[in-house]
Amino acid sequence: MEMKKFFIVLFSFLSCVSLLKGEENNAVIIEYLPAPGQFVNILPAVGSNPADATVKAQQNIDRGSMISLGGFGGFVKAKFGTRVMRVENQPELLILGNAHSNGAEPGIVWVSYDANENGIADDEWYQLVGSEDDNSTKSYSITYYKPSAADDESTNAIDNYIMWKNNLNETGWIPKNTIHNQSYYPEWITADSITYIGTLLPDNAVDVNGDGSYYSLVPYDWGYVDNYPNSEQSKNLFDIDNAVDAEGNKVTLPGVDFVMIQSAIN
């Protein structure tokens, strides 16, 4: 049997993502919500509301540009044109990226089967687990707080720009740089804070010089998006049989109708 492939081409530079149409199965973005980050509101351009942001993300993809997923939790969801059927003992999804030597930015793939056949992504999402599953933090939650208007409008570098707090009682800040000085908080989100939930992968950054001047982003063994160069195709294949439910139990799906890619590193 010929393998059913959906090609998601993922160019993830500091959590930027570009989905291109697949050779055998086109997909359309149905939801786009990046976490705060330095390319948010420019890749794509600012959206006026959630629906508009999703449309602009699709437009970027259609012209071969990128979209940013921002920090941990940011995601994009897409609907396949036709169901991707499970093939026994064979991966069904090929997801390519721009990972390179010392530059792995692993993200997690989630899939959903339209069990109620209503064409809407309202059924359960299943994570495709990878090599770091036992070392990951499940149900990790992080809340980002909207910065002040003055900081958003400032063109200066700001260390304590966007505050975050997680469900492990840890806090931190997303800094702002002078190269990208637009607002890093999704401008179509009017709430003073926004929370994301997902699986947190262990930190893959290695301080090469020991002084914070250069970090190597080391790839994990298998199972993550934008983790290995495209030339290593076997490392960029994903098998629906690796799906697990919220409790970590293996599930067998007849196929998948929706896919979600989510930033998994804080």
Side-chain angles (χ1 to χ4, degrees):
M1 180 182 296
E2 182 181 356
M3 180 170 66
K4 184 73 172 181
K5 292 180 181 176
F6 169 70
F7 294 89
I8 302 176
V9 181
L10 176 70
F11 300 102
S12 183
F13 175 68
L14 295 179
S15 297
C16 290
V17 59
S18 176
L19 298 172
L20 300 183
K21 294 180 178 179
E23 288 186 2
E24 301 179 23
N25 196 349
N26 292 345
V28 176
I29 291 179
I30 56 174
E31 187 176 1
Y32 167 63
L33 184 58
Q38 67 173 328
F39 294 103
V40 173
N41 298 316
I42 55 176
L43 288 174
V46 176
S48 58
N49 55 59
D52 181 51
T54 298
V55 168
K56 288 185 176 179
Q58 183 68 57
Q59 290 173 341
N60 264 35
I61 287 167
D62 289 342
R63 58 174 171 258
S65 186
M66 296 186 291
I67 62 176
S68 174
L69 297 183
F72 173 86
F75 65 85
V76 59
K77 296 178 182 177
K79 178 181 180 180
F80 292 109
T82 58
R83 178 170 294 159
V84 177
M85 301 305 298
R86 172 180 175 269
V87 180
E88 189 171 1
N89 299 321
Q90 190 170 312
E92 299 85 3
L93 306 178
L94 172 64
I95 305 180
L96 303 177
N98 75 332
H100 54 85
S101 178
N102 301 319
E105 295 179 322
I108 287 177
V109 180
W110 302 75
V111 294
S112 182
Y113 168 66
D114 190 10
N116 59 17
E117 300 288 348
N118 66 355
I120 302 173
D122 56 1
D123 294 285
E124 185 172 356
W125 285 94
Y126 302 96
Q127 180 181 333
L128 299 188
V129 298
S131 60
E132 303 308 302
D133 188 53
D134 290 339
N135 301 317
S136 300
T137 303
K138 309 299 173 58
S139 299
Y140 179 79
S141 173
I142 188 169
T143 299
Y144 300 94
Y145 296 89
K146 192 170 187 176
S148 68
D151 282 351
D152 263 349
E153 295 170 3
S154 174
T155 59
N156 298 322
I158 304 173
D159 289 334
N160 296 343
Y161 173 47
I162 294 180
M163 181 183 177
W164 59 262
K165 183 177 182 178
N166 64 25
N167 58 349
L168 304 177
N169 292 321
E170 298 170 334
T171 61
W173 295 87
I174 294 178
K176 187 177 189 180
N177 61 53
T178 57
I179 299 175
H180 302 100
N181 52 38
Q182 83 290 348
S183 173
Y184 291 7
Y185 193 89
E187 290 202 3
W188 60 94
I189 303 299
T190 58
D192 289 336
S193 66
I194 185 169
T195 300
Y196 300 78
I197 300 174
T199 296
L200 176 69
L201 294 175
D203 191 359
N204 70 326
V206 176
D207 188 352
V208 176
N209 298 327
D211 59 5
S213 62
Y214 176 70
Y215 285 87
S216 175
L217 302 180
V218 180
Y220 296 129
D221 190 22
W222 62 274
Y224 303 102
V225 169
D226 198 33
N227 191 42
Y228 279 92
N230 296 344
S231 58
E232 299 186 48
Q233 180 169 308
S234 64
K235 296 286 190 178
N236 293 294
L237 292 171
F238 294 83
D239 193 338
I240 294 171
D241 281 339
N242 289 325
V244 297
D245 63 18
E247 286 71 44
N249 300 311
K250 180 179 174 60
V251 297
T252 300
L253 302 172
V256 295
D257 299 278
F258 306 94
V259 64
M260 173 170 64
I261 298 173
Q262 186 174 36
S263 295
I265 297 289
N266 184 16

